[in-house]
Amino acid sequence: AQSVTQPDIHITVSEGASLELRCNYSYGATPYLFWYVQSPGQGLQLLLKYFSGDTLVQGIKGFEAEFKRSQSSFNLRKPSVHWSDAAEYFCAGGPGTASKLTFGTGTRLQVTL
Amino acid sequence: GAVVSQHPSRVICKSGTSVKIECRSLDFQATTMFWYRQFPKQSLMLMATSNEGSKATYEQGVEKDKFLINHASLTLSTLTVTSAHPEDSSFYICSAKLAGGASSYNEQFFGPGTRLTVL
C-alpha cells in the first residue's frame, strides 16, 4: 500500500544541536511530500513541501528537507534547534494526481536546554 | 493568505446529542475540504473528502450516518457528529484545498482543530 513512514516516534536533542527527522514514502511515481508541525492542542502548520524540481527544499523556521528518490526518503533537517521547536512533526504525502494525503505516525521532538 | 478556521474550538456535550463543527476557508475558495480525526498522541486519520455541491466520500470504516458532512458553499463545510458517544471524543481537524489550482497542486491548508469531549 502507498504510505508514508516515520521510523522515529520520539527524538530528544539539545538546544543548538542539529536535527534530522526521517520520513520514507512508498509511492511509485514522484509523490507530493509535506512536513507539518503541530504544537499541543493546535492545528498543523506547513513547514515545507516538495512537488518537483530542486530536491533540496527550504521551508520556514530554518527547516529544510531533501527528496531522495534512490532512498525513498524526504528527511527534515535543521542545523541548530531552538527550544521552541519542541513539537510533533508529521510527514505527509500523496500520489501526484490524487488529492488525499497520508500522514506518517509523527515524531515527537523534545529539546533539552 | 489561505487561512482556514474551525468553530467551535472546543465543545463538550452529553452522550446522545449531536454536535456540528464548521470549517471555513476565510480568504480563498475551496472546492474540496477534508475531515480528519486525531486521537491523543496519534496521527491524523482521514475520515472523509468533502466536495462542494456533492456527497462526501468517506474512508473505509467511517460511518457516514454518524458523521454527516455538508459542503454547501465554496467556503464552508460542516461535520455533524450525530448521537455522540464517549468514544467519539477526539480532535477533529479540517483542511481545504484551493479551488481552480493546477490539477497537480495538492496542498491542503489546515484549520486549528476542534476538541470534542462527549460525557
Side-chain angles (χ1 to χ4, degrees):
Chain A
Q2 297 175 328
S3 68
V4 172
T5 305
Q6 293 180 250
D8 305 306
I9 297 174
H10 186 203
I11 284 183
T12 301
V13 298
S14 300
E15 189 175 39
S18 63
L19 170 70
E20 182 169 31
L21 302 181
R22 296 185 291 167
C23 174
N24 296 101
Y25 66 89
S26 61
Y27 297 103
T30 299
Y32 289 76
L33 296 166
F34 306 84
W35 273 100
Y36 291 93
V37 61
Q38 184 181 36
S39 297
Q42 304 295 314
L44 276 70
Q45 181 180 24
L46 178 67
L47 290 175
L48 47 80
K49 59 191 181 226
Y50 174 77
F51 293 149
S52 64
D54 193 348
T55 56
L56 184 61
V57 181
Q58 300 298 320
I60 62 171
K61 301 185 177 184
F63 286 94
E64 67 177 26
E66 187 170 9
F67 174 73
K68 292 185 177 180
R69 185 186 300 278
S70 62
Q71 300 178 19
S72 298
S73 69
F74 188 58
N75 295 347
L76 182 71
R77 300 194 296 249
K78 186 169 185 178
S80 179
V81 171
H82 188 264
W83 64 266
S84 60
D85 293 324
E88 187 86 21
Y89 290 80
F90 292 98
C91 181
T97 56
S99 291
K100 293 196 299 186
L101 285 180
T102 300
F103 281 80
T105 50
T107 298
R108 178 166 297 278
L109 174 65
Q110 183 176 358
V111 180
T112 58
L113 300 176
Chain B
V3 178
V4 176
S5 70
Q6 281 185 242
H7 178 79
S9 58
R10 188 182 296 267
V11 57
I12 301 173
C13 68
K14 294 182 179 179
S15 185
T17 60
S18 294
V19 174
K20 179 184 284 187
I21 302 170
E22 293 186 347
C23 177
R24 293 183 185 271
S25 56
L26 298 184
D27 50 3
F28 67 100
Q29 293 185 327
T31 52
T32 304
M33 290 185 172
F34 303 87
W35 287 96
Y36 295 85
R37 184 174 181 176
Q38 185 181 29
F39 290 106
K41 298 185 179 182
Q42 294 190 25
S43 188
L44 279 74
M45 299 299 296
L46 180 64
M47 298 174 66
T49 302
S50 168
N51 292 295
E52 187 265 338
S54 64
K55 291 183 178 181
T57 302
Y58 290 81
E59 295 300 301
Q60 191 173 6
V62 178
E63 299 177 59
K64 59 182 65 177
D65 294 330
K66 180 167 189 60
F67 298 100
L68 301 179
I69 292 173
N70 183 277
H71 193 160
S73 78
L74 286 172
T75 60
L76 174 65
S77 176
T78 61
L79 168 69
T80 301
V81 183
T82 62
S83 187
H85 290 282
E87 57 265 29
D88 298 324
S89 298
S90 190
F91 194 53
Y92 293 88
I93 303 176
C94 74
S95 70
K97 185 170 175 287
L98 278 167
S103 61
S104 60
Y105 195 64
N106 211 11
E107 183 174 354
Q108 297 179 23
F109 300 94
F110 285 82
T114 296
R115 171 81 54 198
L116 170 63
T117 302
V118 185
L119 303 176

